[in-house]
Amino acid sequence: MTIDWRKYWWQPGFALAFFAVGVPYWLIPYNKLNLPDALLGVELVVVFAVAALARVTSGKSFMRVVVVMGSVVPAVVMARVVVDGVLDYSAHNLWPFEVVIAILVSAVVAVPGALAGSVVLWLSRRGRDDDGQAG
């Protein structure tokens, strides 16, 4: 039995990016939280890389990769909103704005990542079309 991993392209990448961005963000105390600064960091490189890798390896469209990998940061923010809201219902009373900020931050990273993956795909297809002949 052979498993076609291209069907499940988003699961490991999403999980990796979710925890890479989420863990540092979740460790910031609520009274020190400032968006978008709390989301901006080296962790976003993981979202970029996962978006590029997903575009290259999955065979999915540019928009599908952008939508799925672009939802990583908003999912991280929503997870914090839910947990903090359960602990203190008055926390995150402006959560819709937090989600919009997270969507913008995520789009700024996921779109170039998917574009980079598209460029790699284009170059690899162009190289195969030339049958290995230069110029």
Side-chain angles (χ1 to χ4, degrees):
M1 179 165 105
T2 305
I3 297 174
D4 183 14
W5 288 106
R6 289 172 48 140
K7 271 169 108 175
Y8 308 104
W9 63 275
W10 61 274
Q11 294 168 344
F14 186 93
L16 174 69
F18 181 80
F19 288 110
V21 173
V23 170
Y25 174 70
W26 297 327
L27 292 176
I28 299 172
Y30 178 70
N31 60 351
K32 304 281 187 201
L33 195 59
N34 184 20
L35 288 180
D37 296 338
L39 295 170
L40 302 177
V42 179
E43 303 85 17
L44 291 177
V45 173
V46 176
V47 177
F48 177 90
V50 167
L53 189 61
R55 180 71 179 111
V56 170
T57 61
S58 71
K60 301 299 179 192
S61 69
F62 172 82
M63 279 310 294
R64 181 171 287 185
V65 171
V66 168
V67 167
V68 171
M69 292 306 148
S71 66
V72 167
V73 179
V76 165
V77 169
M78 276 309 300
R80 176 151 190 169
V81 167
V82 168
V83 170
D84 285 352
V86 167
L87 299 175
D88 177 13
Y89 68 90
S90 66
H92 298 281
N93 54 357
L94 297 174
W95 69 266
F97 295 109
E98 294 180 47
V99 173
V100 169
I101 291 168
I103 290 170
L104 295 174
V105 168
S106 198
V108 167
V109 178
V111 169
L115 275 174
S118 295
V119 168
V120 170
L121 275 177
W122 179 74
L123 290 173
S124 69
R125 289 179 183 151
R126 185 170 175 223
R128 276 188 263 144
D129 291 343
D130 291 342
D131 292 326
Q133 297 174 357

